[in-house]
Each structure stands twice: as structure tokens, then as C-alpha cells.
Amino acid sequence: MLGKWLARARADAAAPTSGTGTGVAEVEAQLVAAASGRLSDRRLDELIDSLAAVEPSDPDYGPAQHNLLLALRIRYRTRGDVADLERMLERATALSGRTETDYWFRYVFAIHRLQTLLLVYEREGRRELLDEVVATGQPMLRGKAPHPVLESWLADTVAHALISRFKVVGGQEDLDAGIGLLRGLCKAVAAAPDRCQFLSRLGLALLLRYEMSGMDADLKEAVRRCRRGVRTAPPSYPELALMHSNTALVLAFAGRRYAAIWAGRAMLQEAVEHARASVAKAPPGHPALVDLMNHLVSVLMTAGELLARVDLLDEALSTSALVEHELPADHPTFSECLTNQGTAARMRFDLTHDAADAARAVAAFRKAVAHPDGRPWARLDAAQKWGLLEGGRENWQSALEGYTAAVDGLARLAHRELGRADRERQLARRAWAGVAADAAATALNAGRAELAVELLERGRAVSWAQSVDAPDSGLPARAAPAELVRDWAVDGPAVVVNLSRFRSDALVVSAAGLRVVPLPGLVFDEAVDLLAEHLEALLDVVPVSSAAERDHKAAALLAWAWDVIAEPVLTALGFGVPADGEPLPRIWWCPTGLLCFVPLHAAGHHDGTGAPGASVLDRAVSSYTPTLGQLAGEAPSVPLPAAGRPRLLIAEVRQAEGLPVLSKSLSETRRLAELFPGALHTSLSEDTATGPQVLAELNQHPYVHFTCHGRQELDDPAQGGLVLHDGLLSVARLIEGARPGRLAMLAACQTATGGLVNADEAISLASALRFGGWQDVVGSLWAARDDAIALVSEAVFEAVAALPDGDGPAGDPVARALHAAVRLQRDQAAGDLASAWAPFVHLGR
């Protein structure tokens, strides 16, 4: 019991005590009995009255007030009377501010106040209470505590607040800080009776991080910590019910992760036992009883689905109905309760195929989505599950309602208060990837083509749209298709290639309007399997045996992309093989999901097995755009410097630690210096090409050419970037540290590769520069050969150097120069070496 623990700490530290000590030990014994449920309600009431009657002049006033606050807390935990909560907060606030109280007890009462604020938060859900606990508690932790026990008590309180705030806001820093504090507590208080509770809380926090990161190490440690916590807790421990609940949640997740093996199924059974025990051990008036019951519902659902047991799902439904009845309608977890209820009904429908179960699920999801006080992730979760269920039943109008709400929920989830990295992590959390694509497919099935385009624009690149760092950059437009068409600013169509479990289509937008081209050959499951196989080799996720195998994979991918995507689109557009001397038309590709990794500009049968001109390279000049909005309206103007002033920045790092040396036999930088002679270029080479120096020079040059290694983090693409002399210049640093320019040539590998976790966020170095306002960007989708990079770079800057000194964009000349260079390499290789010439892409107008 905490009171007994503190009493022992006070004795160890020779803290001020009462003159006689009469009755203190007896009071603490009664508190221990009350916390374990062995003290009658009447005796607890009498104890509280007697402690409240102690006068400030009494030498025992400090200990009495501490014990009074503990007693009120116990009574609130068992009866849930809000008057006790209000009394605790008022008294703890007053006592912590009493200057005549010795430092020991002022510190104790300050912690009591913070813990009471957490209790108020649990009841009312007001985020500002968590902010106050963190803002007050963290400076106290950095100061000098009267005793290590009090420091541990405070650390536990702050950790609780940080992790609770993470659940609301989603900031990774809060979660990591909370885990760090709990780890320290588990080490510092190895012999304390409350260590079991710290173990349990650490396990639950690690589970939250596992949901974000998917790291098995976090999940395995969570299971180990929670099991140990429950195993070492005394049978009468007051927090045992919550510890059983934490253990149940962790085991349920682990059971799902390892459901294919016997150990996973055993974990699911164990999780159900712990969840039931948590509810059984909580007294009837316990304030957390509803949460415990909601957790029981979640565990029963997981076990019922994976073990195919209708009885467990029935128990989940009946328990969730009780929770719904008990919760106030404005409670922040009310929507989670409804989502659980809907999910249980949906799982039952999957087993029984009873339409009544489906109707009950949709009703619960609809109510959860409409709940104004629900947490963003819970409302989004309900909306997506609603759309998925109804889409599977081909109730397209209802599915569209659910998916529209889900797309709207993405912006609430990745809100502006979060930093960019946290926004990206929130969008990658759970199963949000593909929401926009499925939403668009349901809109098409409901006959709403324009809404399909709008949903794709709203539901992709959300983290950029929410950016607070560059509010005036080229962010995704939220315009309806009619407005996009009205403001269309390029000479050609943009093709959004949408891959969904419900259907796949090309949505063609141009100045002529909107057109839908069905893609029946683009089947979701087949496409995912094929892309996984080919992209793993091309992106170096798995090693390949030889360069020939890599080229074979690339050629097969290009042929597939032609057959199921590019050929139907170009045929519908009337883009055939042009006559000699006729300029090729322009086209912009805007792929979704895993298709973002496919070089659609190079799709085709390049080995001569197809019909004449069976490739995109022979029929159109391609560019890419992360969103349609970037092709509408006026482009941001980036003026050229005055005559004779530097224009081109060349940043060259050919040798980096741990990476192969880039070839110097075909150094394109010499040719670039010739194209921009003398003072028209600035060269940073090797040790002068550092992150700070490059960022400083970028603000003075409208053109930049990087010759270096690129590195992409497929699980966290914002942390990928360019390898300079002093380390990595990441996507995030480059966007935040440099103003927009005219042309960025990224002569490095994988600079146009996004993340596998959430491809729809379009987070690559190339797309980041476009969102940051750069007019034209050239990058590569995967590793490219040095000689191919050199030829492409020279061709692009020859076209730029030939431009007049006006302020207009260079998009068309850059795109056509890149196209000609890639096509020349393709022709010289007679269609072979596809992995060498196919990855280069242009982003811009």
C-alpha cells in the first residue's frame, strides 16, 4: 500500500513526524484494509471524518492530511462519488500551497494534486488536465526530491499523464518519455510492493508503441512485463483488477500476432481469463469498471474472431451493451465502446452470415462516427469498418457514407498540433493505408465519379495538407473536379490510377473534364502479390542473385504495367504511335498505393514481343504529380537571380562511409560546370558538401544538382534523404531548412521512392521538394547505374541552360529532355538493362 510505503520512506529519511505518533500506525493499517476491500464502508467513512477533524495546529496534521487524501481516493475508487474527487482536488491544492508546511509534505501534497488531476481527466476527458500534470511534474522530476520513494511516486504520475496524452494527441515523444520513466521505476523500486503495477503499466505502454512501430521486441517485452506484474502482485493488491486488464489486452494482441501457432491460441485463451478476472475483481462502484468491461469486450472479440467462437462474440455483445448503458453519452470513450460493439457484431456476421448481425454492426459504427466527443482514431476506425463491411455486401451507398467519414477522419487524426513525423506515424498506425482508394472505388460503384476524385484528393498526402511548416507551399487542393478542370494549368491529362479491393480504374482529369477508364485487368490481390515480389528485388528489400535477375524483374514489371494499366489508358486517350516528326503528347501519372513504386512512364514490352510502339515511351512524355491540385492554378514563381549571379548549386559526395564509391569515369559535374561557367555555378565537393552548407547555398541558387548516395527508409520515409559528407540530409531537414527553387536534380538512388507503410502519403525526397514549392524535380524510383545517372543529368541541364532568362517554369523542356535521355538508353540497350534506364522520373508541370 502506498501509504505504508511512504511512511517507511519518511522513517528512513528522518522526516518530520508527529510528537506522539499516537494512532498513525493504526490509521495506516486501516487504509491497507480499505484498499483491499477488508474495511467496511461505515468504518471507512468514520476514518475519513476523524482524519478531517485533525486541526492544523496538531503535530500530526501533515500525516493526517496525507492519509485523508489516500482515504478519499480509496473511497472514490470504490464508490465513484464525484464529491470525493472535488474534495481531494480542493484540499491537495490548498495543502501544496501552504508555506508553513514543511518541504516534505508540500512535495507529497503536490503529487496528490497531480494524481487527482489524472482522476478528473479519467472522468471528464479534458486534455488540458494532462498538460498541467506534465508541465508541473516534469520540472519537479528535474529538481531534488525529499526521498527516492517520492521521486518514484512522482515519476509514475508523470508517466501516466504522458501516456494518456499520447493516446489523445498521438505524439511519439510523449510515449517514449513515458516508457523511459516506467523503465526507470521498474529498476529503481525492485523491492517495492507497487513494482508489480509499474511492470503492468510498462507492458501496456510497450503495446501502444508496438501498434505504432510493429516491432516484435516491444510486443514480446510487453507480454513478459505484464505477466510478471500479475504474477508478483499480492492477491489483495488494490490495482490488481487494472493489472489483469492490461495483461489481457497485451496477450490479445500477441495472440493475434501469433494466431497461426499453438502459442498464439493459448495466449488468446489466457487473455480471456485475465479480462474476466479484471471485471470480477473490481468492486461494483469502481470508477474504472466501465473501462475494464470495455477491455473485456475487446479481448472477447479478438479471441472470438480468431478462435471462431460465436459464444465469445455473444459475450462481447452483451457486455458492450452494458457498457453503453453505463457510460455517459458525452464520455470520450463512448465512441470506442460503440466501435467495439459494431466490430463484435461484424465478426459474428462473418461466422453466421445473419443479416441482423450486419445491420447491428452498421448501426453501432454509424453512431460511433457521429459521436462529437469521440477520439479521432476511434471515429476513423468505426468509419472504415463501416465502409468495409458494407462494401463487402455491395451496399454501395452505405459504404460510401462510411468511407467518406473515414477520409474526413484522416485530417482529424493527423492534426496540425502534431509535428510532421508524428502525423505520418498516426496515418501509418492501424490500417489506414488505402482508405482513400477504397473510398473512391465505392464512390464509383455508387455512380459518383466526381466524388471519387475529390475523395482521393482529400485522402492522400494528408500530412502535407496539415503542414504548419510551409502553409503557403503547393499543398493538395481540396477543390471539386469542376474547379480543378476550370483551373487546369498543364497541356495534357493527369491519370489517377486507383487500386482498390472493390475495383480498379484510371480517373483521367484534364481541361476537357473527367473521364473514368475501367481497368478490369488490375485485380487487387493479384497486383499486391506481383508488386510485392518484384518491388522487393528492385528496392533491395531482399537480395537478388545477379544483375540479370534484377533486369528480368524490372522487364516483367514494365510489361505487366503496360498490359493492365498503361495500354488501356493510352488507347482510351487516343495516344497512338505518332508519325515521324510529330511531337509526343504530355501525360501526368498520379498512382495510388503500391502503384506509386511502379515506373508507369516506362511501362511496355521493350523486348520486341509486343506490338509496334507497345510502350509509354513511344507514345507520350510522362511526368508525375503527387496530387491533382498541383496541376491546377498558378504555380509558385521562383525568379532567377540577376545576370552573372550563381544559378546552379552542385553538391557532390562520391565517397561516404560504409557505401561504395560512385564512379568518376563519367563525371557529369564537369559537363554541368561547362553549361553554367564561372560565377554561374557553385560547387560543393566532398568535405565542403555538408548539410548546413548545402541548406545555406540552396537559398541562393534556383537550380541544384546532387551527386551522392540516396537512402530511403521504407518504414519512415521522412527520415530518408541524401548522404552528404557529414551524414544524412533528410527529407524533413531539406524541406524545413531551404526555400523553394526551380529545378532539383537528385542524381542519387531511390529519391522518388516513398514508404511502404503508407504509400498514399507520397513522402519521398522528390515529392517533398514538390510539396515544398520546387517547380521541377528529377529523381529515381530505385537504385540506378552511375553512367545512366550521368547521361540523364547532362541531358536535363542542357535543356535548362538553353532556356531564355524568363520567369516561366521549365517543366516541359525538362520532361522532354529526360524522356529523350531515357528513351535513348532504352534503344541503345535494345530493351535490356531495364533496371538501369527505367527508374528516372520527373515531378512537376
Side-chain angles (χ1 to χ4, degrees), residues 659 709-713 717 719-723 728 731 748-751:
L659 295 171
H709 281 284
R711 191 175 77 201
Q712 181 58 299
E713 299 292 338
Q719 299 310 311
L722 297 165
V723 181
L728 188 74
V731 169
C749 300
Q750 297 188 9
T751 50

Side-chain angles (χ1 to χ4, degrees), residues 427-688:
L427 291 166
R429 188 183 182 192
R430 301 175 184 268
W432 312 141
V435 165
D438 287 342
T442 58
L444 290 171
N445 281 327
R448 304 281 302 279
E450 291 203 351
L451 180 57
V453 173
E454 189 174 340
L455 289 170
L456 283 168
E457 284 291 279
R458 294 211 318 261
R460 302 174 69 249
V462 175
S463 62
W464 294 108
Q466 297 291 79
S467 175
V468 295
D469 300 318
D472 297 325
S473 64
L475 298 175
R478 295 307 181 228
E483 295 171 297
L484 290 172
V485 170
R486 181 196 65 199
D487 299 330
W488 204 246
V490 295
D491 184 19
V495 181
V496 182
V497 186
N498 194 52
L499 174 64
S500 166
R501 71 190 77 235
F502 300 125
R503 59 182 285 172
S504 296
D505 301 87
L507 290 84
V508 182
V509 178
S510 69
L514 168 63
R515 180 177 181 181
V516 178
V517 180
L519 301 175
L522 185 58
V523 180
F524 184 79
D525 291 337
E526 295 175 4
V528 170
D529 291 342
L530 182 142
L531 290 171
E533 176 188 351
H534 288 72
L535 293 175
E536 282 181 343
L538 293 170
L539 298 176
D540 294 323
V541 176
V542 296
V544 294
S545 59
S546 65
E549 181 185 354
R550 189 185 304 278
D551 283 317
H552 174 75
K553 294 284 189 183
L557 179 62
L558 297 180
W560 171 83
W562 171 260
D563 292 339
V564 303
I565 300 172
E567 193 279 333
V569 169
L570 296 187
T571 297
L573 292 174
F575 286 10
V577 180
D580 290 343
E582 182 182 350
L584 295 177
R586 292 286 305 279
I587 189 171
W588 281 261
W589 300 100
C590 184
T592 66
L594 288 179
L595 295 177
C596 292
F597 297 91
V598 179
L600 295 172
H601 67 285
H605 293 271
H606 301 282
D607 57 0
T609 58
S615 76
V616 177
L617 286 173
D618 296 316
R619 300 195 186 188
V621 174
S622 296
S623 297
Y624 288 81
T625 184
T627 67
L628 296 177
Q630 290 192 332
L631 302 181
E634 293 186 8
S637 176
V638 181
L640 287 172
R645 301 296 298 167
R647 298 193 176 190
L648 173 64
L649 171 64
I650 302 172
E652 182 180 18
V653 179
R654 295 187 175 272
Q655 186 168 0
E657 184 177 355
L659 295 171
V661 178
L662 296 177
S663 170
K664 291 190 177 182
S665 59
L666 289 172
S667 176
E668 69 273 20
T669 55
R670 297 194 197 97
R671 175 59 179 153
L672 300 184
E674 293 173 0
L675 291 169
F676 296 85
L680 294 182
H681 83 274
T682 300
S683 181
L684 301 176
S685 180
E686 302 306 333
D687 59 349
T688 62

Side-chain angles (χ1 to χ4, degrees), residues 254-297:
R256 179 178 291 281
R257 171 68 178 83
Y258 305 111
I261 60 177
W262 174 86
R265 294 189 290 275
M267 284 180 178
L268 292 171
Q269 298 279 12
E270 185 182 351
V272 171
E273 293 170 4
H274 280 290
R276 287 171 175 161
S278 71
V279 174
K281 290 182 178 296
H286 197 295
L289 179 58
V290 169
D291 288 335
L292 299 178
M293 293 173 68
N294 216 7
H295 294 166
L296 171 60
V297 172

Side-chain angles (χ1 to χ4, degrees), residues 710-775:
R711 191 175 77 201
Q712 181 58 299
E713 299 292 338
L714 293 178
D715 290 334
D716 191 3
Q719 299 310 311
L722 297 165
V723 181
L724 301 182
H725 178 74
D726 59 341
L728 188 74
L729 178 59
S730 68
V731 169
R733 278 184 68 201
L734 185 55
I735 291 305
E736 292 164 1
R739 72 184 186 189
R742 284 195 160 207
L743 169 63
M745 179 72 203
L746 306 176
C749 300
Q750 297 188 9
T751 50
T753 307
L756 287 173
V757 175
N758 195 348
D760 279 339
E761 280 309 286
I763 310 165
S764 68
L765 186 58
S767 65
L769 289 172
R770 277 293 290 142
F771 281 122
W774 285 74
Q775 291 180 345

Side-chain angles (χ1 to χ4, degrees), residues 12-320:
D12 292 343
T17 59
S18 64
T20 63
T22 306
V24 172
E26 180 184 350
V27 168
E28 289 172 347
Q30 291 184 66
L31 287 173
V32 171
S36 59
R38 293 182 287 106
L39 192 72
S40 69
D41 288 351
R42 181 179 62 81
R43 293 292 302 278
L44 179 58
D45 293 342
E46 291 174 351
L47 175 61
I48 289 173
D49 291 342
S50 65
L51 291 170
V54 177
E55 295 292 335
S57 57
D58 193 308
D60 275 337
Y61 182 71
Q65 296 304 296
H66 164 61
N67 287 328
L68 172 61
L69 290 168
L70 289 177
L72 287 169
R73 182 184 180 91
I74 293 169
R75 190 165 72 178
Y76 170 71
R77 277 296 194 189
T78 55
R79 302 184 197 176
D81 189 343
V82 70
D84 282 337
L85 194 60
E86 294 170 349
R87 187 177 177 186
M88 290 162 60
L89 183 58
E90 179 183 1
R91 188 162 291 249
T93 300
L95 290 168
S96 61
R98 285 174 63 97
T99 57
E100 65 271 24
T101 306
D102 65 78
Y103 177 61
W104 172 280
F105 278 112
R106 284 204 309 275
Y107 200 93
V108 169
F109 296 140
I111 300 176
H112 269 297
R113 180 176 176 275
L114 297 181
Q115 288 209 321
T116 306
L117 289 174
L118 287 177
L119 292 176
V120 177
Y121 166 75
E122 289 177 4
R123 189 177 191 96
E124 300 178 4
R126 289 191 285 128
R127 148 77 188 284
E128 64 269 19
L129 298 174
L130 298 178
D131 294 339
E132 184 175 352
V133 174
V134 173
T136 304
Q138 284 186 327
M140 289 176 64
L141 282 174
R142 292 191 289 268
K144 177 66 175 176
H147 191 274
V149 168
L150 295 180
E151 185 176 4
S152 297
W153 187 20
L154 175 61
D156 179 45
T157 303
V158 175
H160 187 177
L162 286 166
I163 293 168
S164 296
R165 190 166 70 177
F166 163 77
K167 294 177 183 177
V168 177
V169 181
Q172 180 80 24
E173 184 178 348
D174 279 347
L175 180 58
D176 290 341
I179 288 174
L181 288 173
L182 289 171
R183 284 194 193 282
L185 284 169
C186 290
K187 292 180 180 178
V189 294
D194 286 292
R195 181 174 184 267
C196 57
Q197 182 178 340
F198 300 150
L199 287 167
S200 181
R201 289 183 181 173
L202 175 57
L204 193 61
L206 288 165
L207 174 62
L208 290 173
R209 194 163 72 181
Y210 167 75
E211 288 188 82
M212 298 287 291
S213 68
M215 293 178 58
D216 274 359
D218 279 341
L219 182 60
K220 290 177 180 178
E221 184 183 356
V223 171
R224 187 172 68 252
R225 298 280 191 175
C226 281
R227 278 176 166 167
R228 185 179 302 167
V230 170
R231 187 170 61 246
T232 58
S236 60
Y237 190 71
E239 301 295 332
L240 189 55
L242 291 171
M243 292 170 58
H244 274 295
S245 183
N246 292 349
T247 306
L249 291 173
V250 168
L251 286 169
F253 266 85
R256 179 178 291 281
R257 171 68 178 83
Y258 305 111
I261 60 177
W262 174 86
R265 294 189 290 275
M267 284 180 178
L268 292 171
Q269 298 279 12
E270 185 182 351
V272 171
E273 293 170 4
H274 280 290
R276 287 171 175 161
S278 71
V279 174
K281 290 182 178 296
H286 197 295
L289 179 58
V290 169
D291 288 335
L292 299 178
M293 293 173 68
N294 216 7
H295 294 166
L296 171 60
V297 172
S298 179
V299 171
L300 289 168
M301 287 190 310
T302 302
E305 178 188 34
L306 296 175
L307 301 177
R309 287 181 53 181
V310 174
D311 62 313
L312 294 179
L313 296 175
D314 287 340
E315 185 180 350
L317 284 167
S318 60
T319 305
S320 68

